[in-house]
Amino acid sequence: MTGPLDAEAVLRRRDEFTSHWKDDGQVAWLDGAGLVLVRGHGRLDGPKRVAVRTPDGGRRVLTARHAVAVCTGTRAALPGLPGLDEVRPWTSREATSSERVPPRLAVVGGGVVACEMATAWRALGSEVVQLVRGSRLLPRMEPFAASPWPRACARPGSICASAPRSPGPAATGR
């Protein structure tokens, strides 16, 4: 493909793929399969038991026939940057669900998700600055996996900046 992407069409298609961020279709599938979805916050409550605090404040205890699988998902770990909380930073959740393309975006990090989001928003028209701690992107991957990124960062609308890791309190005399 050549030329700019139609960002509005891309975001519209993403919303179609995600059912506009509603899970009604999946809930209907669960019902049809004879499964029950229980929403809330769960705690292990004994062997094969989970106690769920439901959104309406109720409590429901579920007992498994065989075992309880604990599949909590994850939350993004935000770096401890002064003032970060005041600027309402995006995590991967906000970055993948934004309703508009930001004109400028700073991506903090050099891992897989940071590189994916920097690339996607750059392709949709954002001016992206990617701030990376250390000497390269994708530090947990084999070096060859990160080799395309310097060229991608050299494209118009892209800046990649890296800084060495902090020497730590002992080296700074604190």
Side-chain angles (χ1 to χ4, degrees), residues 8 11 14 29 55 63 77 80 90 102-103 105 113 125 127 155 158 167 171:
E8 195 173 301
L11 297 179
R14 176 218 47 205
W29 177 85
T63 304
W90 281 3
L105 185 65
V113 173
E127 181 181 311
R155 292 185 184 133
S158 302

Side-chain angles (χ1 to χ4, degrees), residues 6-163:
D6 180 345
E8 195 173 301
V10 170
L11 297 179
R12 199 170 39 248
R13 184 72 173 137
R14 176 218 47 205
D15 291 345
E16 291 170 8
F17 269 105
T18 60
S19 300
H20 299 276
W21 307 103
K22 296 181 180 158
D23 63 2
D24 301 352
Q26 290 76 19
V27 173
W29 177 85
L30 289 172
D31 289 343
L35 302 170
V36 176
L37 173 65
V38 178
R39 294 185 194 269
H41 294 275
R43 297 183 76 90
L44 294 175
D45 191 48
K48 301 182 191 176
R49 288 174 24 136
V50 176
V52 179
R53 177 75 51 208
T54 59
D56 64 3
R59 183 172 188 266
R60 184 162 176 192
V61 177
L62 307 170
T63 304
R65 280 183 261 170
H66 301 289
V68 172
V70 180
C71 308
T72 61
T74 61
R75 287 194 179 169
L78 295 176
L81 298 174
L84 186 62
D85 290 337
E86 290 107 43
V87 297
R88 296 186 334 252
W90 281 3
T91 65
S92 57
R93 184 166 302 222
E94 291 84 10
T96 57
S97 62
S98 178
E99 295 179 7
R100 64 176 186 80
V101 176
R104 291 177 312 283
L105 185 65
V107 176
V108 178
V112 173
V113 173
C115 289
E116 287 175 342
M117 293 298 95
T119 301
W121 287 113
R122 186 179 307 116
L124 292 171
S126 287
E127 181 181 311
V128 177
V129 174
Q130 189 168 1
L131 305 170
V132 181
R133 183 175 42 187
S135 61
R136 70 179 184 94
L137 296 168
L138 303 172
R140 293 185 178 147
M141 308 294 258
E142 294 294 330
F144 75 87
S147 63
W149 293 103
R151 285 189 308 281
C153 288
R155 292 185 184 133
S158 302
I159 299 171
C160 277
S162 65

